[in-house]
Amino acid sequence: MTQNVPHRSVLLTEVVDAFEPVRLSVFVDGTLGAGGHAEALLQRHPEIDLYLGIDQDPQALALASKRLEPWKDKICFRQGNFSQFDQFLKELSVVQIQGLLVDLGVSSMQLDQAERGFSFSREGPLDMRMNPHASLTAADVVNTWSEQDLGRVFRDYGEEKKWRLAARAIVQARVEKPFVTTTDLAQLLKPLFAWNPKKGINPLTLIFQALRICVNGELAVLEQLMPKALECLEPGGRVAVISFHSLEDRIVKNQLRLAASDKWETSGLGSGLFRDKDPTVALITKKPICPSEEEIKDNPRSRSAKLRVAEKLAKKDS
């Protein structure tokens, strides 16, 4: 492989195996990161003509560019969100693709950079922007949003049980002094939770996760992904999504299951009513693929990863 890089690609072997049966001509990597998945896929699939690598983070693109130098004639780098992949393909005059991969969530290199403000364990500015040129920061959210809106963020995106308490404490404290750093926020909230390490995830993890999802609009863009992906995939092509928490995985699971079903649920028209439809995908993974014990031991941050894969079906003759 290549030189050491500040990010380990999760489920690397499993991702490569997912695309093994497919002859890839055009491949979209919606979250390129440091290029680990890209390197492995390009090695395994010399038939790739175009590899579109997208990432919001210019630092990640710079790292990937160096790592993927041997394939520079095949790779097209774009800074942006994975939901924009169809626009980038249009710019390249590409209509159909054979593979698409998205690795959701924050990368290890972003977590480890204190100045990015993603982690409560490292003091840095309350930022959390995956795209450093985006306007909204975590500081904007905690210092200006209403108690009601903050509570909704912590409840819906963090699934934190004490969401009301956290929102109220923030609104009360910011009257005296605005929140500037990750430490400012962590020190306020830590005493409220009385976390026991033997009883699940640190609530601060959930609060910071909720703010990150909010700042980057992560769930909204994920909702947009699957319809676009299935439209662009040619029959036999595959889409693979790695998620890291239940909110992401739920969206991916539900969208893929609906695409694989022969029914449209139309419960709004009456109890139990369904309309027939043709499935557009076959589920390659009926249940998500999770990291092995060996991978989790080597990279603890991979422990919550889930990989789901689906294959585009050919349209039935009408």
Side-chain angles (χ1 to χ4, degrees):
M1 300 292 279
T2 61
Q3 73 276 16
N4 291 331
V5 291
H7 175 67
R8 303 182 192 181
S9 298
V10 172
L11 294 166
L12 182 61
T13 300
E14 292 81 356
V15 165
V16 173
D17 289 346
F19 292 101
E20 183 67 28
V22 185
R23 189 183 188 285
L24 302 174
S25 177
V26 180
F27 192 92
V28 175
D29 191 332
T31 44
L32 185 63
H37 289 120
E39 180 183 52
L41 287 164
L42 285 160
Q43 287 175 340
R44 187 66 66 91
H45 291 270
E47 76 277 12
I48 291 177
D49 294 318
L50 172 64
Y51 195 102
L52 175 58
I54 304 167
D55 206 284
Q56 298 187 83
D57 190 340
Q59 292 184 27
L61 290 173
L63 282 170
S65 178
K66 293 179 181 179
R67 184 175 194 169
L68 302 174
E69 177 70 18
W71 299 277
K72 62 182 180 181
D73 294 336
K74 295 186 173 187
I75 299 178
C76 180
F77 298 99
R78 288 289 187 274
Q79 183 182 355
N81 188 275
F82 57 75
S83 65
Q84 299 172 275
F85 82 89
D86 56 332
Q87 300 173 31
F88 297 140
L89 288 175
K90 187 175 181 180
E91 294 171 4
L92 297 166
S93 300
V94 174
V95 177
Q96 285 195 310
I97 63 176
Q98 293 75 44
L100 184 145
L101 169 67
V102 178
D103 181 356
L104 302 170
V106 64
S107 72
S108 295
M109 55 189 174
Q110 289 169 336
L111 284 171
D112 292 337
Q113 292 176 320
E115 66 271 18
R116 303 298 295 274
F118 284 103
S119 174
F120 61 83
S121 61
R122 290 176 170 82
E123 183 169 24
L126 261 179
D127 193 318
M128 301 194 191
R129 292 172 296 175
M130 292 183 179
N131 179 350
H133 302 300
S135 57
L136 184 67
T137 69
D140 295 330
V141 175
V142 299
N143 287 316
T144 67
W145 286 26
S146 69
E147 181 177 333
Q148 180 180 7
D149 286 340
L150 279 174
R152 175 183 54 80
V153 168
F154 300 149
R155 180 194 65 197
D156 295 348
Y157 298 158
E159 298 183 308
E160 167 51 46
K161 295 178 180 178
K162 294 183 178 180
W163 56 271
R164 288 189 182 90
L165 182 63
R168 187 177 306 119
I170 289 172
V171 170
Q172 292 174 349
R174 74 191 188 193
V175 173
E176 300 294 330
K177 181 183 177 183
F179 294 92
V180 177
T181 70
T182 53
T183 303
D184 291 341
L185 184 59
Q187 287 181 342
L188 171 76
L189 296 179
K190 187 176 180 179
L192 304 181
F193 295 121
W195 174 59
N196 183 343
K198 296 180 181 180
K199 294 185 178 181
I201 299 174
N202 188 332
L204 287 178
T205 299
L206 301 178
I207 294 294
F208 274 63
Q209 168 189 292
L211 287 171
R212 191 202 78 220
I213 291 173
C214 172
V215 166
N216 296 286
E218 294 174 35
L219 300 187
V221 294
L222 181 56
E223 291 275 10
Q224 301 169 20
L225 173 68
M226 210 58 64
K228 293 182 179 181
L230 299 184
E231 180 69 25
C232 290
L233 275 178
E234 71 174 26
R238 290 188 174 185
V239 57
V241 182
I242 300 173
S243 61
F244 286 86
H245 57 75
S246 60
L247 298 172
E248 295 171 339
D249 184 57
R250 193 176 305 142
I251 291 172
V252 176
K253 176 183 69 176
N254 290 341
Q255 290 194 352
L256 288 180
R257 283 184 175 177
L258 178 59
S261 173
D262 62 357
K263 303 288 184 184
W264 285 110
E265 183 177 355
T266 54
S267 55
L269 300 178
S271 179
L273 292 181
F274 296 87
R275 289 187 290 118
D276 291 337
K277 73 176 184 69
D278 292 330
T280 53
V281 304
L283 298 180
I284 303 302
T285 53
K286 299 293 175 59
K287 293 183 178 181
I289 298 173
C290 298
S292 64
E293 292 183 6
E294 182 179 355
E295 179 172 0
I296 294 173
K297 183 178 180 181
D298 184 57
N299 179 16
R301 287 175 177 168
S302 71
R303 63 187 179 276
S304 58
K306 293 182 178 180
L307 170 65
R308 293 186 185 271
V309 185
E311 181 174 306
K312 178 79 172 283
L313 295 174
K315 290 184 178 180
K316 295 182 179 180
D317 295 333
S318 55

